[in-house]
Amino acid sequence: MSDKKVTLTLQGEAPVELDVLHGTLGQDVVDVRTLGAQGLFTYDPGFTSTASCESQITYIDGDEGILLHRGFPIDQLATHSNYLEVCYILLNGEAPTQAQFDDFCTTVTRHTMIHEQITRLFHGFRRDSHPMAVLCGVTGALAAFYHDSLDVNIERHREIAAFRLLSKMPTVAAMCYKYSIGQPFVYPRNDLSYAGNFLNMMFSTPCEEYVVNPVLERAMDRILILHADHEQNASTSTVRTAGSSGANPFACIAAGIASLWGPAHGGANEACLRMLEEISTVEHIPEFVRRAKDKNDSFRLMGFGHRVYKNYDPRATVMRETCHEVLNELGMKDDLLEVAMELEHIALNDPYFIERKLYPNVDFYSGIILKAMGIPSSMFTVIFAMARTVGWIAHWKEMHDDGIKIARPRQLYTGYEAREFSSQLKE
Ligand code: CMC
């Protein structure tokens, strides 16, 4: 929809009129699509001012700290829904009826097993590999096992791939962990919930029954909900870019996993826990805060700041509550939680953080919860990837449903002009 125009005037040239598009919520965008044909490109490294696509899935108001999935506020979903219902909402746009939900759960639950030969694939990795490296490799390799439905131009194939990814990701994620500690893989159990099944595959062994603690199961479910989608972040944009060439969905999700791994993105939860461990006591906090503010020091407070949120990340609020619930249930007093809360308090009252609107993000408390559950920090980003898979798929499907156009950005070239080549190698 467009009723406003922007006029671009280049000295000595005729003005160019550009449409201004309005969404249902959020900023208007200037439609620059016609500029390229006129020999002009826009320049925006890091996409700080660029809407890369149109989407109906997730809305974020970073100034107000609002996150909506298909219009539903994240705190309501985290409190009154469950992960699979949120998956249904993200993928289909509406909250399911009971019958639709039951069908959806049955399909997800019936596809949790993976091809047995994939277990051999794991054995090609070193045991001390980072689980994210293994997850990335194995997810990409799934295309070699499920090539019966890989025609991305067929809607039914896209749907089958979506269910396979959603169903099998916890199985693969838990296998990454079991492989790293030298324990046998645990097969999925379809009588358990999505989160309960994952915890069972992580912690049960053939020699001892593992009973899923309902408080931990609920906490895991919440962690999954809070990480399910976050509009056009780096990994989601990566999935869309990879998918724009018509690449198969497993390759696209593997690309998303690779992007997520970086410490500025999903890798922050692991880095945040490492930082809290390094700080170790509240007495050391001022030194770390001083370093975070020092322009000559590359250290940053992990779990703080966000490209879009310039207010408290609404996911961090729920995560903080869940953190207390889990520690209470386990009867644990975690020194790191004390460090985290004091660090948050000090940073939120420091002019450096206030002026730059740096608040705790989703990763600030998640590591403490996962650690209390007995999950090693190397698995934190794997769990983030497992949770985000539904968001990636929802965006990948939406892109295909809307009609794909290959993502092909241009550049501001600042290299050499054309010059003569003469080899300097010895004859
Ligand atoms: N600690 C100290 N200073 C910071 C921090 C931080 N965590 N984050 C930003 N700043 C400063 C930065 O130095 C800059 O200062 P100045 O204006 O004086 O140069 C200013 O704040 C703006 O920072 P920016 O790097 O331009 O902001 P950005 O939008 O490009 O980066 C970010 C966003 C999330 C990469 C960054 O805040 C960061 O590195 N945070 C720590 C890593 C982290 O927790 N990431 C998880 C993000 S949430 C989960 C997810 O989406 O995956």
Side-chain angles (χ1 to χ4, degrees):
M1 212 204 311
S2 166
D3 49 21
K4 273 200 278 178
K5 305 258 182 216
V6 160
T7 307
L8 197 65
T9 313
L10 282 174
Q11 237 176 0
E13 291 186 34
V16 179
E17 260 202 354
L18 300 168
D19 285 341
V20 176
L21 308 179
H22 317 292
T24 38
L25 290 170
Q27 291 97 330
D28 290 343
V29 302
V30 180
D31 184 350
V32 297
R33 281 175 291 182
T34 52
L35 275 184
Q38 305 185 46
L40 211 56
F41 298 134
T42 55
Y43 176 63
D44 185 18
F47 297 117
T48 54
S49 308
T50 295
S52 62
C53 64
E54 186 182 325
S55 182
Q56 300 184 354
I57 301 172
T58 290
Y59 171 73
I60 302 173
D61 183 333
D63 293 326
E64 296 298 324
I66 291 171
L67 168 60
L68 309 176
H69 292 321
R70 301 287 191 182
F72 303 119
I74 188 65
D75 54 318
Q76 292 180 20
L77 293 173
T79 318
H80 303 300
S81 184
N82 61 62
Y83 180 65
L84 280 185
E85 190 180 23
V86 172
C87 289
Y88 184 100
I89 291 169
L90 285 170
L91 291 168
N92 298 292
E94 296 296 336
T97 61
Q98 187 64 53
Q100 287 168 330
F101 183 63
D102 292 345
D103 269 2
F104 183 78
C105 291
T106 306
T107 312
V108 172
T109 313
R110 288 219 182 122
H111 293 90
T112 49
M113 272 178 64
I114 56 168
H115 194 292
E116 192 61 20
Q117 212 163 320
I118 294 173
T119 57
R120 305 237 197 107
L121 189 63
F122 272 89
H123 289 275
F125 288 98
R126 286 170 55 131
R127 294 265 177 196
D128 61 356
S129 311
H130 195 287
M132 277 298 276
V134 181
L135 183 74
C136 191
V138 174
T139 304
L142 292 179
F145 293 87
Y146 301 105
H147 45 75
D148 56 346
S149 309
L150 280 187
D151 188 341
V152 296
N153 299 310
I154 301 174
E155 195 181 346
R156 178 69 189 135
H157 282 207
R158 297 202 292 272
E159 200 184 353
I160 292 172
F163 272 114
R164 281 181 168 153
L165 277 157
L166 188 56
S167 308
K168 296 179 199 309
M169 200 48 92
T171 314
V172 175
M175 287 171 82
C176 291
Y177 173 60
K178 286 298 195 188
Y179 185 72
S180 74
I181 56 168
Q183 285 189 4
F185 297 132
V186 175
Y187 287 101
R189 269 192 35 202
N190 293 352
D191 59 319
L192 297 174
S193 70
Y194 195 86
N197 174 47
F198 174 66
L199 289 173
N200 185 63
M201 288 188 291
M202 286 284 290
F203 295 120
S204 73
T205 62
C207 32
E208 210 167 293
E209 196 195 351
Y210 172 80
V211 180
V212 180
N213 176 323
V215 175
L216 303 192
E217 182 180 6
R218 177 74 193 131
M220 178 54 74
D221 193 75
R222 249 190 202 172
I223 289 174
L224 298 180
I225 294 175
L226 295 175
H227 287 91
D229 189 45
H230 215 224
E231 53 119 303
Q232 313 310 324
N233 54 81
S235 57
T236 304
S237 301
T238 302
V239 170
R240 278 185 178 262
T241 302
S244 75
S245 70
N248 79 70
F250 301 102
C252 298
I253 301 302
I257 293 170
S259 166
L260 184 76
W261 195 3
H265 193 7
N269 51 17
E270 186 179 346
C272 181
L273 192 80
R274 260 204 316 272
M275 175 193 78
L276 292 174
E277 282 170 348
E278 212 184 319
I279 298 176
S280 77
T281 65
V282 289
E283 291 75 48
H284 295 144
I285 292 176
E287 169 60 10
F288 281 81
V289 171
R290 186 195 60 71
R291 283 186 58 200
K293 297 193 297 192
D294 182 354
K295 287 285 153 238
N296 299 317
D297 191 329
S298 61
F299 173 77
R300 281 186 166 199
L301 279 192
M302 299 313 286
F304 260 81
H306 198 277
R307 170 61 63 79
V308 183
Y309 291 120
K310 300 302 169 200
N311 200 325
Y312 212 97
D313 179 342
R315 302 168 300 170
T317 317
V318 184
M319 208 59 103
R320 191 183 190 195
E321 273 169 33
T322 308
C323 190
H324 285 289
E325 269 171 38
V326 168
L327 294 181
N328 280 344
E329 169 65 17
L330 297 175
M332 284 167 77
K333 187 183 159 298
D334 191 332
D335 292 343
L336 294 189
L337 179 61
E338 207 181 310
V339 172
M341 283 173 35
E342 186 57 20
L343 178 60
E344 179 183 340
H345 177 73
I346 291 177
L348 291 183
N349 288 292
D350 187 307
Y352 174 95
F353 293 88
I354 296 170
E355 281 157 21
R356 288 168 182 75
K357 299 185 174 163
L358 300 170
Y359 292 86
N361 59 50
V362 69
D363 290 323
F364 192 63
Y365 284 104
S366 62
I368 299 174
I369 307 175
L370 293 170
K371 175 175 170 263
M373 287 177 166
I375 294 171
S377 56
S378 60
M379 281 296 290
F380 291 179
T381 317
V382 170
I383 291 169
F384 190 158
M386 179 176 113
R388 182 56 60 83
T389 295
V390 70
W392 291 330
I393 304 169
H395 284 272
W396 174 81
K397 280 183 85 224
E398 181 179 68
M399 181 184 69
H400 276 282
D401 294 346
D402 293 351
I404 53 171
K405 186 167 178 62
I406 192 162
R408 177 56 171 91
R410 300 305 299 264
Q411 62 176 3
L412 173 66
Y413 177 70
T414 52
Y416 288 110
E417 291 183 9
R419 52 185 177 147
E420 284 299 317
F421 173 71
S422 92
S423 176
Q424 297 180 50
L425 304 181
K426 290 186 192 137
E427 292 278 310

